[in-house]
Amino acid sequence: MQIISAEVLVSSPGRNFVTLRLTTDDGLVGLGDATLNGRELAVVAYLTEHVVPLLLGRDAHRIEDTWQYLYRGAYWRRGPVTMAAISAVDTALWDLKARAAGLPLYQLLGGRSRVGCLTYGHASGADLPELFDSVRDHLEQGFRAIRIQTGIPGLGSVYGVASSANAAAGADGVTSRYDHEPARRSAAPVEEAWDTRAYLRHMPGVFEAVRNEFGPELPLLHDAHHRLTPIQAAKLGRSLEPFDLFWLEDVTPAENTAVLRRVREHTTTPLAIGEVFNTIWDYRELFEEQLVDYVRSPVTHAGGITPLRRIFDYASVYQIKSGVHGPTDISPVGLAASLHLGIAIPNFGIQEYMRHSAATDEVFRSGVTFVDGMLVPSEEPGLGVEYDDDVASRYEYAAAYLPVNRLLDGSVHDW
Ligand code: GCO
Ligand code: MG
């Protein structure tokens, strides 16, 4: 099973995606997701200039060796661009191996451990009535766990809130009223204003209102998007304890994970982190000191299925579970890969799920199904996703940026 071609495909059905397609001498095709939101073409260059020439002629069965070769062999390790590129190669190789075996990929990862992967959806609103509508809409769609994000009095558009004016204008109008899409197609990033004190005052009331309206059982999640200091994060975690969150995500900036010790000392609200991590080493201190409860890394940014499986096994030693990143910037290829892994591992927790646009689903024909709030991978051999070149060619790449966050005095803040 020799690799005879490696194509880097760029298309933009509603939002930008980069896909790696490997073809072997026996005519098999494997896909990998190489999308890095807002920095897509850097990964295209990394793959095209530095990785594709090394893949041609290689034995596609040698997944572990190829991973080590690309990761260790480059000398320059880690980082989102490198790891997105390696992820795509690793995923495409697993897709090929499973297609060669004639089995859905999860069978090669140990087989099914559960009927499906429980998901959470994104509810948001500028105010409480809008938020409640969004929660109801998600419950009607079948979601059984819900992330809650709202506008903050005194601030304009806020990250994660679909109904804010700039979100409605985003992604060529393919974003539904309830699906926030943070990357905007524009020549420069949109800038948003942020006030942490106003946020900390507002959030407990929001969760109290949601609990009063929807009862005690519904699992609720919240994403703080790296915006808080350790002591602010501790305060938020503690103030939300009465509302029994499933998790509080990314409370502090990802570079300095040791600060989560301080947060943990003050709150029993479960913590999730890792959507911007790249390697198993990023988790070492967090696992060994039991500072987090859920791992957010997706297949697409942690270097692929091979290292993410290792991260989950390492997490399982500490009773830490998966909680994989799944916004629309993870393509249907990346999502399918997460689900094959999620259905197999013993310590699955939850899977984030934002529906892709109809245009995206037309380019990537995926056999994934959504049943009873759970996503179930396809029974087709491999990942169960096909890429349609003809449809893809209708959607040309357009530069898009994530917003930049500024404090009220104009200085740039974390997000
Ligand atoms: C999430 C994330 C996303 C990211 C986006 C960046 O929890 O889903 O925080 O909304 O902001 O994936 O590309
Ligand atoms: Mg997040």
Side-chain angles (χ1 to χ4, degrees), residues 5-19:
S5 106
E7 299 157 277
V8 184
L9 311 164
V10 180
S11 80
S12 197
R15 55 161 313 114
N16 295 321
F17 293 110
V18 181
T19 308

PDB file of all heavy atoms in Angstrom, residues 5-19:
ATOM      1  N   SER A   5      -0.043   9.525  -4.351  1.00  0.00           N
ATOM      2  CA  SER A   5      -0.325  10.958  -4.482  1.00  0.00           C
ATOM      3  C   SER A   5      -0.815  11.522  -3.157  1.00  0.00           C
ATOM      4  O   SER A   5      -1.434  10.821  -2.344  1.00  0.00           O
ATOM      5  CB  SER A   5      -1.319  11.220  -5.627  1.00  0.00           C
ATOM      6  OG  SER A   5      -2.580  11.545  -5.134  1.00  0.00           O
ATOM      7  N   ALA A   6      -0.471  12.787  -2.910  1.00  0.00           N
ATOM      8  CA  ALA A   6      -0.885  13.487  -1.693  1.00  0.00           C
ATOM      9  C   ALA A   6      -1.334  14.879  -2.128  1.00  0.00           C
ATOM     10  O   ALA A   6      -0.522  15.687  -2.564  1.00  0.00           O
ATOM     11  CB  ALA A   6       0.279  13.567  -0.718  1.00  0.00           C
ATOM     12  N   GLU A   7      -2.641  15.110  -2.055  1.00  0.00           N
ATOM     13  CA  GLU A   7      -3.188  16.393  -2.525  1.00  0.00           C
ATOM     14  C   GLU A   7      -3.675  17.223  -1.342  1.00  0.00           C
ATOM     15  O   GLU A   7      -4.322  16.694  -0.435  1.00  0.00           O
ATOM     16  CB  GLU A   7      -4.388  16.146  -3.444  1.00  0.00           C
ATOM     17  CG  GLU A   7      -4.079  15.346  -4.689  1.00  0.00           C
ATOM     18  CD  GLU A   7      -5.354  14.685  -5.205  1.00  0.00           C
ATOM     19  OE1 GLU A   7      -5.715  13.609  -4.685  1.00  0.00           O
ATOM     20  OE2 GLU A   7      -5.991  15.261  -6.108  1.00  0.00           O
ATOM     21  N   VAL A   8      -3.367  18.508  -1.388  1.00  0.00           N
ATOM     22  CA  VAL A   8      -3.833  19.421  -0.344  1.00  0.00           C
ATOM     23  C   VAL A   8      -4.995  20.216  -0.939  1.00  0.00           C
ATOM     24  O   VAL A   8      -4.809  21.010  -1.865  1.00  0.00           O
ATOM     25  CB  VAL A   8      -2.697  20.347   0.122  1.00  0.00           C
ATOM     26  CG1 VAL A   8      -3.176  21.223   1.270  1.00  0.00           C
ATOM     27  CG2 VAL A   8      -1.483  19.529   0.545  1.00  0.00           C
ATOM     28  N   LEU A   9      -6.192  19.971  -0.439  1.00  0.00           N
ATOM     29  CA  LEU A   9      -7.408  20.534  -1.041  1.00  0.00           C
ATOM     30  C   LEU A   9      -7.923  21.678  -0.171  1.00  0.00           C
ATOM     31  O   LEU A   9      -8.069  21.524   1.041  1.00  0.00           O
ATOM     32  CB  LEU A   9      -8.485  19.442  -1.127  1.00  0.00           C
ATOM     33  CG  LEU A   9      -8.024  18.109  -1.740  1.00  0.00           C
ATOM     34  CD1 LEU A   9      -9.026  17.001  -1.433  1.00  0.00           C
ATOM     35  CD2 LEU A   9      -7.855  18.277  -3.249  1.00  0.00           C
ATOM     36  N   VAL A  10      -8.184  22.821  -0.803  1.00  0.00           N
ATOM     37  CA  VAL A  10      -8.713  23.977  -0.068  1.00  0.00           C
ATOM     38  C   VAL A  10     -10.080  24.305  -0.639  1.00  0.00           C
ATOM     39  O   VAL A  10     -10.225  24.439  -1.856  1.00  0.00           O
ATOM     40  CB  VAL A  10      -7.790  25.205  -0.221  1.00  0.00           C
ATOM     41  CG1 VAL A  10      -8.349  26.397   0.548  1.00  0.00           C
ATOM     42  CG2 VAL A  10      -6.385  24.877   0.258  1.00  0.00           C
ATOM     43  N   SER A  11     -11.070  24.399   0.223  1.00  0.00           N
ATOM     44  CA  SER A  11     -12.379  24.861  -0.275  1.00  0.00           C
ATOM     45  C   SER A  11     -13.078  25.613   0.839  1.00  0.00           C
ATOM     46  O   SER A  11     -12.686  25.547   2.003  1.00  0.00           O
ATOM     47  CB  SER A  11     -13.224  23.693  -0.777  1.00  0.00           C
ATOM     48  OG  SER A  11     -13.815  23.052   0.311  1.00  0.00           O
ATOM     49  N   SER A  12     -14.124  26.320   0.454  1.00  0.00           N
ATOM     50  CA  SER A  12     -14.738  27.221   1.416  1.00  0.00           C
ATOM     51  C   SER A  12     -16.265  27.177   1.359  1.00  0.00           C
ATOM     52  O   SER A  12     -16.923  28.178   1.092  1.00  0.00           O
ATOM     53  CB  SER A  12     -14.234  28.636   1.156  1.00  0.00           C
ATOM     54  OG  SER A  12     -14.483  29.429   2.265  1.00  0.00           O
ATOM     55  N   PRO A  13     -16.840  26.012   1.620  1.00  0.00           N
ATOM     56  CA  PRO A  13     -18.301  25.911   1.622  1.00  0.00           C
ATOM     57  C   PRO A  13     -18.881  26.523   2.904  1.00  0.00           C
ATOM     58  O   PRO A  13     -19.166  25.827   3.869  1.00  0.00           O
ATOM     59  CB  PRO A  13     -18.542  24.394   1.557  1.00  0.00           C
ATOM     60  CG  PRO A  13     -17.316  23.786   2.175  1.00  0.00           C
ATOM     61  CD  PRO A  13     -16.182  24.734   1.960  1.00  0.00           C
ATOM     62  N   GLY A  14     -18.995  27.848   2.906  1.00  0.00           N
ATOM     63  CA  GLY A  14     -19.499  28.549   4.096  1.00  0.00           C
ATOM     64  C   GLY A  14     -18.375  28.992   5.005  1.00  0.00           C
ATOM     65  O   GLY A  14     -18.436  30.030   5.638  1.00  0.00           O
ATOM     66  N   ARG A  15     -17.316  28.198   5.081  1.00  0.00           N
ATOM     67  CA  ARG A  15     -16.132  28.553   5.852  1.00  0.00           C
ATOM     68  C   ARG A  15     -14.967  27.769   5.262  1.00  0.00           C
ATOM     69  O   ARG A  15     -15.168  26.818   4.505  1.00  0.00           O
ATOM     70  CB  ARG A  15     -16.318  28.205   7.321  1.00  0.00           C
ATOM     71  CG  ARG A  15     -16.699  26.739   7.575  1.00  0.00           C
ATOM     72  CD  ARG A  15     -16.435  26.343   8.995  1.00  0.00           C
ATOM     73  NE  ARG A  15     -15.116  26.805   9.328  1.00  0.00           N
ATOM     74  CZ  ARG A  15     -14.874  27.754  10.246  1.00  0.00           C
ATOM     75  NH1 ARG A  15     -15.866  28.234  10.954  1.00  0.00           N
ATOM     76  NH2 ARG A  15     -13.664  28.177  10.460  1.00  0.00           N
ATOM     77  N   ASN A  16     -13.746  28.175   5.587  1.00  0.00           N
ATOM     78  CA  ASN A  16     -12.584  27.554   4.947  1.00  0.00           C
ATOM     79  C   ASN A  16     -12.218  26.202   5.557  1.00  0.00           C
ATOM     80  O   ASN A  16     -12.215  26.062   6.783  1.00  0.00           O
ATOM     81  CB  ASN A  16     -11.365  28.478   5.076  1.00  0.00           C
ATOM     82  CG  ASN A  16     -11.567  29.776   4.315  1.00  0.00           C
ATOM     83  OD1 ASN A  16     -12.126  29.771   3.222  1.00  0.00           O
ATOM     84  ND2 ASN A  16     -11.139  30.886   4.905  1.00  0.00           N
ATOM     85  N   PHE A  17     -11.893  25.253   4.684  1.00  0.00           N
ATOM     86  CA  PHE A  17     -11.402  23.949   5.132  1.00  0.00           C
ATOM     87  C   PHE A  17     -10.184  23.561   4.310  1.00  0.00           C
ATOM     88  O   PHE A  17     -10.132  23.815   3.110  1.00  0.00           O
ATOM     89  CB  PHE A  17     -12.461  22.856   4.931  1.00  0.00           C
ATOM     90  CG  PHE A  17     -13.663  23.012   5.806  1.00  0.00           C
ATOM     91  CD1 PHE A  17     -14.891  23.373   5.266  1.00  0.00           C
ATOM     92  CD2 PHE A  17     -13.578  22.790   7.179  1.00  0.00           C
ATOM     93  CE1 PHE A  17     -16.005  23.523   6.078  1.00  0.00           C
ATOM     94  CE2 PHE A  17     -14.685  22.934   7.996  1.00  0.00           C
ATOM     95  CZ  PHE A  17     -15.905  23.305   7.440  1.00  0.00           C
ATOM     96  N   VAL A  18      -9.225  22.908   4.974  1.00  0.00           N
ATOM     97  CA  VAL A  18      -8.071  22.330   4.279  1.00  0.00           C
ATOM     98  C   VAL A  18      -8.123  20.821   4.519  1.00  0.00           C
ATOM     99  O   VAL A  18      -8.259  20.373   5.658  1.00  0.00           O
ATOM    100  CB  VAL A  18      -6.744  22.915   4.825  1.00  0.00           C
ATOM    101  CG1 VAL A  18      -5.558  22.313   4.080  1.00  0.00           C
ATOM    102  CG2 VAL A  18      -6.750  24.444   4.700  1.00  0.00           C
ATOM    103  N   THR A  19      -8.025  20.065   3.433  1.00  0.00           N
ATOM    104  CA  THR A  19      -8.157  18.607   3.525  1.00  0.00           C
ATOM    105  C   THR A  19      -6.975  17.959   2.818  1.00  0.00           C
ATOM    106  O   THR A  19      -6.598  18.396   1.734  1.00  0.00           O
ATOM    107  CB  THR A  19      -9.474  18.161   2.841  1.00  0.00           C
ATOM    108  OG1 THR A  19     -10.550  18.933   3.387  1.00  0.00           O
ATOM    109  CG2 THR A  19      -9.753  16.681   3.057  1.00  0.00           C
TER     110      THR A  19
END
